[in-house]
Amino acid sequence: MSPNPQNYSIRNPYIVGRPVQMPDEFFGRVILLRSIADSLQQNAQFILLHGQRRIGKSSVLRNIPLFVSPDEFVFVHCDLQEYGSASLNQILYMLAREIFQHLELNTNILELLLNANSENIRRIFNRRILAQIDEKLDNKKLVLLLDEFDVVSHSDTENSVEFLRFLETLVRQQEELFVIAVVGRYLNAMPNLVQSFRGAPFYEIGLLDNNDAQQLIIQPTAQILEYQEKTIAEILKISSGHPLCTQALCYQIFQLVRNENNFSQIKIVADYVLEAIPNAINSAEGGLDSICQGLSIPEKVVISAVAEAQEHNTIENPLKLLEGYGLVVTDSLEEAIQLLINKGFLDSNPVRLKVELVRLWLLQCHPLRNEIRTLETLEEEKINQLLPVARSCWRGDKQQDAALAIYEQTLQLNPNHFSTILELAEKYLEIEKFDKALKLYKRVYQLDSGRYQQQFLEALNSYGHWLIIKRNYVAAKQQYEKILQIQPGNTLAQQKLAEIKAYQANSHMVSTIINYMSNLIRSNSRLSILIFIGLIGGIVSMLIINYVLNNFTTKPQTSSDVRSINTINTPLPKNSPEPKNQISKNISRGDRTLFPSIENSDRDKGIDSFKQGKYSDAEKHFGEAVKNNPNDPEILIYYNNALAHKKGNPLTLAVVVPAKKRTNSAQEILRGVAQAQNQFNQQNGLQGRLVEIVIADDDNNEDTAKQIAQEIVQDQSILGVIGHGSSKVTNTALPIYTPNLAIVSSTSTSIDLQGSVFFRILPSDKATGEKLAQYALTNNFKKIVIFCNPVDLYSRSIKEEFRLTFVKNRREKVVPSSCINLADPNLNPAQEVKNLLKDPFVEAIALFPDTDKSIEVAMGIIKTYNDSVDNLRKSNNNVEQLKQIKILAGDSLYKPEVANTLKNLILAVPWFRDAPKSKRFAQEAQSKWGGGVSWRTATSFDATQAFIGSFKLSPEVSRATVLNNLPKINISENTSGEPLKFDSYREINKPATLIMVQDGQFVNAE
């Protein structure tokens, strides 16, 4: 049903994420408000309202005047949000200014407060400021409504203590002055505040009761919509009466109804609630994030564990889930459960989250595995002092025991410091302390099986091999059985188990023969001589046979690697097969074009010849096509494929690109692949074997990517894969390639992409996020607003890595853990930019759009900001005072059109053509393709070079040898700039490069 345009004139009455200020928009809390009014009437000069963040405290604070006689009290609202590090002078100046402006007094006198010393400020405030206020009040009582009071009162800093002492004295001395303060922290965490105002009435603001929550659902749309009872019950089941969650759900339900139908007499059915949940989470994310902002790191880990335990129906003991991730459950983690119960986040019996929408948000935006990583920041300062000493001792002569002791000391400080756990496991394995090594390897494997599976399997194999040497076949068998439990079908484990079985059988047979012969010899001495001669002859025969086998037969392939491998390399048929299914039309060796919009008659002739297996004719036609369009990489690839088939027995790789959906990006990737292929083939390849490239188009679609991956895996001629184009489709395809086929990514950066067959040739989101964060930390930005798509793999990954760097540097207040959702259909870029310009503390924004839809939205935000600044500059003579906000972004915005239209932009990118090490390749590529090339061309060139390097390390090339050799490559020449060498995580450890927009061009910012 198409939307009714008239519906959009009806304002959505639900309010998400901001305090309710209008009386007709405020519902419920009547009993609480009457209690506060009674306390004022009874001359309670200090009243404290406390509760979780985003529970509605500010809304209550703003609506207190509705329940108190205006003839007796004057209310002045003051927001202390931005005054956490302010001095007493600055806080008193702000309070006085708000009061003076409300009472319409001249504020010039207030300048005295800013410059007064600690002795004079009290005298000035009491005698001069309050005197004017008292005169204006005319026997009325002044009530200060202090929002975000905990920002200036929760810590033990000198400013906080001084302000509390001043306020306590002021309230005691001024009988006509009242303070109602709101705090969003747990009261036990603010002992100074509680002690200063002991005896004052404290009111907790919690979840709405059923009656109040129903009012909040029904009343705003009472004249338009009718909620069925089942619908109300479903909303309350998801929101538990939490005001923010209730408003967010109702807001999105209203949006759905408005988009679907006319509002006349419509009844809201329960189905709307489930449909509204995803958008409700996105629209409320900023508020949901602030709910958890005051939690400690252990509390954040535990609350995410509870959310996940509920998902798996294992809520009896969520700490067991942490143990399943390899964590040691420390005292702080155990205590976190009770603290979260005390703070109102969890029910106690059973332990579960009170608000279902909060739980769903945690699963989406704060998955447990990500939160566990933050545990590494605990005791970080001490650990960073110990680890260099441990490493130095390990390198020293006869100091290994001292090194191990320091490593163990580190883990006593923080038993869940997983980078140290892995480092210590490697050390124990090196000195063959297998029990300790395997215990530690198992923990990191439990934390992240994809990332650490290979190391764990290799450790099990090393121990198994050692046990075989020691003839402990029973224990050795157990190690290889563990390998098969983790990776069924692992050929090396199967081979070792077969060997163990043979050893055991032989040992049993020899033992039986020896016992039998011993008994025989005892009864016949002449027989013993014959047996001795026979044994000597047998031994000599065995030695001769062993010599022949070792020197004149082919040795079986061995590998220290424990990957499950397929060593068969099936040759290609002479003619390319016709497509058997629809997806085959997305794959080409040269038998079809994947870019039909590009016209080239010689290419089309080449395709016809290639289909018929006439590779000489295809070579000629494709060669002419290259001359006609030297900038088209697809043709150059097909030209080289014709050469490879003509020579026979090609070395085949696949490259997967989004040809239809993102043609420019696909062509950029193919240029790098084509350049490396052409260069290798022109040098006669590997002993005459040339590289063939199979191109596949996944359309940047996850379902298509799965089908493409299945086709590639079934084609045994393909030795490895370059791709896919984006993190989300790579993540979908990766399990299909595992465990037999290597995939080298030249464009996918998400840290969630890990596995025994996954190699990355460019900096991950961890490297890029850290680079941008270090730039921000160096420039000491006070506040950064983040825009991202929280449900996109890449966008969420780089945002989390960016934020985590601030957490590690104890600057987490600079960045929120949530982001403004670029994928929100209701996002208003103009309003967001207006908010940025109004906020005096924002000094930078971080833009992390996905690689698909939200790029245009992100560019629109930058353009709107730049236009707004230009307009302000034209209308404002004080140009120097205009705020200049830095814009930080990752590689998704590294596009020519960005440089042409956007200013003030800092990007962290995988490769930059003007960087010193990149210039040689950039010049060669420019000469080859007739223009400048992108980072995708550079990284895809490197990905192809990595595969070519792996081919050269074995006399026989197969999927198995490629997978085994990729970790061993070390290529310093003929790359796009940096050397190619994978670390133990199959990553290339090269830093991201900072660039900036200047005069319509990208320039180096380092």
Side-chain angles (χ1 to χ4, degrees), residues 287-299:
L288 291 169
D289 183 66
S290 67
I291 290 174
C292 299
Q293 212 167 49
L295 299 181
S296 67
I297 287 174
E299 287 170 338

Side-chain angles (χ1 to χ4, degrees), residues 807-842:
V807 174
K808 288 179 177 177
N809 284 272
R810 292 175 170 78
R811 297 279 305 281
E812 58 267 28
K813 289 184 179 179
V814 175
V815 292
S817 58
S818 65
C819 67
I820 297 170
N821 186 3
L822 288 167
D824 184 353
N826 300 309
L827 181 70
N828 184 339
Q831 184 59 49
E832 295 298 340
V833 168
K834 188 177 178 182
N835 295 341
L836 291 171
L837 291 169
K838 282 173 60 179
D839 190 330
F841 292 90
V842 174

Side-chain angles (χ1 to χ4, degrees), residues 40-93:
L40 283 174
Q41 295 292 345
Q42 294 164 15
N43 288 320
Q45 284 186 265
F46 185 88
I47 300 170
L48 186 71
L49 309 181
H50 64 96
Q52 292 177 12
R53 293 182 178 276
R54 300 292 181 161
I55 201 71
K57 302 183 302 297
S58 296
S59 297
V60 170
L61 189 69
R62 289 178 178 275
N63 282 275
I64 289 171
L66 298 177
F67 288 78
V68 182
S69 170
D71 297 332
E72 190 176 352
F73 295 94
V74 172
F75 294 89
V76 177
H77 182 271
C78 304
D79 190 347
L80 297 167
Q81 174 70 47
E82 307 295 349
Y83 289 84
S85 57
S87 65
L88 179 62
N89 299 59
Q90 292 168 321
I91 296 171
L92 293 181
Y93 174 81

Side-chain angles (χ1 to χ4, degrees), residues 572-621:
L572 276 173
K574 288 188 176 180
N575 294 331
S576 300
E578 286 299 313
K580 294 179 182 178
N581 52 45
Q582 192 65 29
I583 202 63
S584 295
K585 294 179 180 177
N586 286 39
I587 303 172
S588 175
R589 285 177 151 86
D591 47 303
R592 62 180 55 81
T593 178
L594 299 182
F595 301 92
S597 61
I598 301 173
E599 295 183 1
N600 193 318
S601 59
D602 286 307
R603 175 202 63 195
D604 298 339
K605 291 175 185 175
I607 288 171
D608 290 338
S609 297
F610 196 94
K611 281 181 181 178
Q612 298 171 45
K614 297 177 180 178
Y615 299 120
S616 295
D617 291 345
E619 173 197 347
K620 182 180 73 172
H621 292 307

